[in-house]
Amino acid sequence: MRQRVVRVAVAAVLIALVLLALPLVVGIRYAYFADERGELERDALAAAVRVSPQFTAGDPVELPRPAEGTHVGVYDAALRLKAGSGPPTADVTARRAAADATVSEHTGGQIVVSVPVTSNEQVIGVVRVATDAQIVWNRVLLAWLALLGVVAFALGVAVLVARRQAALLSAPLEDLSAACVATASGDLSVRAAGSDIAEIDQVARTQNAMVAELARLLQQGRHFAANASHQLRTPLTGLQLGLETALATPGADLRAASEEALAQCAHLRHTIDEVLRLAKADQGLTDTVTRSASDVMDRVEARWHGAFADEERRLAVTLQPGTEDLPVPERTAAQILDVLLDNARIHGTGRVDVTVRETGGALAIDVADEGTVPMSSTALFERGATTGDGTGIGLSLARDLAEAAGGRLTLASSRPTVFTLLLPQPD
């Protein structure tokens, strides 16, 4: 691109210089020859003044000293050379001047000016002044060379300016191209630098906005896959174990096992719906399914009671008076509580208490165990942060779910561990 910009700029300047120089070339030639004719005419008039009225009677003429290369001659009425230098007999220019008119011609390699000499309104002679045209041509050629030097200097300056401007124009485009190549290679962290050129800067901003949106969509897709994997792993494991136990136990109630499996499948479907809802949270999708706090807590206790019992740990769910009938977004609360209870089972110790209470127009659900949290509350909710062998996704996902529902999830206490979920209540 730089070479193209330079070529276009130089071509434009060259055309402008040619269009400007051609009239100057013609003007210089015309001016030098016109100036020389004017000089010769002044010399001729100066010589004519020295011709006295007695010239016809043979009075000699004292001519001024001519410039080098200039020939001055005085001819009588018979057009014969009487003084100075020139052809012995008058040439065509002098003959025409004898008709009482000043004549200037470029002929025979010379510039000739002839003026008549009059006395008592009669032409008594002719003064002829001539110079070699090559002398004038030499001066014209020197002027043309000077003009050519100026044109070459201007063209050189134009090349330098064009190269600098080409660098200024192409540098941001090269940076933008490098950013596009990096993006195409999979690096979505690269951003195009701004530019002082408004049009290129607009392209860079558009490119950056596009890459940022692509990065957001890709990150959203990765988060969705990770969230779905995290949330589905535990219920799928429970479903598999329940079915395997029913098949391996002689005389087991298969109908009860099937009903439990169907309930687990329904919970899995709700889990998928909730993860999808979170992925589309920027579209304003909210959990519109609400149940009473007592119903939601009963379902949570039913799902997790067995898991804690298998580890010989107690799960206690308590609803403070007046909270039983308060509305709770079922799917959102269920997913968040599943994450908190799974964390309590894996990372916590001892008894687990789930307490539902009302505070300041909001519903608070506390999940507490007898363990400790060795991380700060800020780092704990960062995606990928974990205190053990986990993926570090659960608490980050739970916090996002709570915020998508207009609520808030916080670490109320690190020793013993207490997480508090705040859910807004309708006015």
Side-chain angles (χ1 to χ4, degrees):
M1 176 183 175
R2 294 192 181 193
Q3 295 301 323
R4 290 185 179 180
V5 173
V6 171
R7 285 198 296 268
V8 170
V10 171
V13 172
L14 186 59
I15 292 173
L17 289 174
V18 169
L19 293 177
L20 178 63
L22 285 178
L24 287 177
V25 167
V26 176
I28 287 173
R29 177 187 177 283
Y30 176 81
Y32 272 83
F33 276 91
D35 183 67
E36 185 64 22
R37 290 191 186 94
E39 188 66 29
L40 293 178
E41 187 173 345
R42 286 191 292 273
D43 291 344
L45 292 175
V49 171
R50 292 176 177 265
V51 179
S52 66
Q54 288 74 29
F55 171 69
T56 56
D59 188 22
V61 179
E62 294 182 4
L63 296 175
R65 183 180 180 84
E68 184 178 356
T70 302
H71 304 281
V72 180
V74 180
Y75 295 81
D76 59 13
L79 300 178
R80 294 187 300 270
L81 181 65
K82 292 298 183 179
S85 59
T89 58
D91 58 7
V92 176
T93 304
R95 292 177 184 277
R96 289 170 58 190
D100 196 16
T102 299
V103 179
S104 175
E105 287 187 351
H106 184 181
T107 179
Q110 288 186 321
I111 302 175
V112 182
V113 174
S114 298
V115 298
V117 180
T118 59
S119 178
N120 296 324
E121 300 183 357
Q122 296 292 325
V123 177
I124 61 175
V126 175
V127 176
R128 178 183 180 275
V129 181
T131 188
D132 190 357
Q134 188 60 45
I135 297 175
V136 182
W137 274 115
N138 290 340
R139 294 202 295 270
V140 170
L141 290 175
L142 288 175
W144 283 354
L145 286 175
L147 178 61
L148 181 62
V150 172
V151 170
F153 175 77
L155 190 59
V157 172
V159 171
L160 294 177
V161 173
R163 289 175 64 87
R164 177 170 177 78
Q165 288 300 113
L168 293 175
L169 286 172
S170 61
L173 288 177
E174 291 170 356
D175 293 341
L176 182 59
S177 176
C180 292
V181 170
T183 301
S185 300
D187 187 359
L188 298 182
S189 64
V190 176
R191 295 294 183 270
S195 170
D196 293 333
I197 304 172
E199 292 80 1
I200 298 178
D201 188 57
Q202 178 62 36
V203 174
R205 289 199 301 271
T206 303
Q207 161 77 8
N208 291 340
M210 178 190 69
V211 173
E213 180 63 14
L214 284 176
R216 186 189 69 81
L217 292 175
L218 287 174
Q219 186 69 12
Q220 187 181 65
R222 294 191 189 102
H223 283 180
F224 171 75
N227 293 343
S229 174
H230 181 274
Q231 292 299 92
L232 294 177
R233 184 175 57 251
T234 299
L236 279 175
T237 301
L239 176 60
Q240 181 181 1
L241 288 175
L243 292 175
E244 289 176 350
T245 300
L247 291 175
T249 303
D253 188 352
L254 296 181
R255 180 178 179 84
S258 299
E259 291 177 351
E260 183 178 354
L262 287 174
Q264 290 282 3
C265 289
H267 181 65
L268 286 173
R269 180 170 59 81
H270 293 163
T271 298
I272 295 173
D273 291 342
E274 189 63 18
V275 174
L276 283 172
R277 187 187 67 80
L278 179 62
K280 299 179 179 180
D282 57 343
Q283 300 179 12
L285 299 179
T286 59
D287 186 2
T288 57
V289 179
T290 61
R291 289 185 181 274
S292 65
S294 59
D295 286 345
V296 173
M297 292 301 107
D298 288 343
R299 292 169 183 267
V300 170
E301 185 175 14
R303 283 198 306 274
W304 287 96
H305 178 78
F308 282 100
D310 291 341
E311 296 183 4
E312 298 182 352
R313 296 173 61 186
R314 182 180 176 186
L315 172 64
V317 177
T318 304
L319 285 83
Q320 292 185 356
T323 62
E324 296 87 350
D325 296 327
L326 292 179
V328 174
E330 179 189 13
R331 296 176 183 177
T332 299
Q335 293 300 314
I336 297 173
L337 291 173
D338 283 350
V339 170
L340 296 179
L341 291 172
D342 193 42
N343 269 12
R345 182 179 63 85
I346 296 174
H347 303 291
T349 60
R351 172 184 170 127
V352 177
D353 288 296
V354 180
T355 304
V356 181
R357 55 190 174 86
E358 186 177 12
T359 174
L363 184 69
I365 304 176
D366 299 320
V367 179
D369 63 65
E370 298 175 359
T372 61
V373 177
M375 299 176 63
S376 67
S377 59
T378 301
L380 187 64
F381 288 99
E382 292 295 329
R383 197 173 188 86
T386 180
T387 59
D389 297 331
T391 60
I393 295 175
L395 289 177
S396 174
L397 172 60
R399 180 196 57 186
D400 293 341
L401 287 169
E403 292 177 353
R408 186 158 53 96
L409 178 62
T410 61
L411 176 65
S413 172
S414 59
R415 182 178 304 212
T417 302
V418 179
F419 287 95
T420 299
L421 170 63
L422 293 175
L423 295 172
Q425 291 294 295
D427 295 334

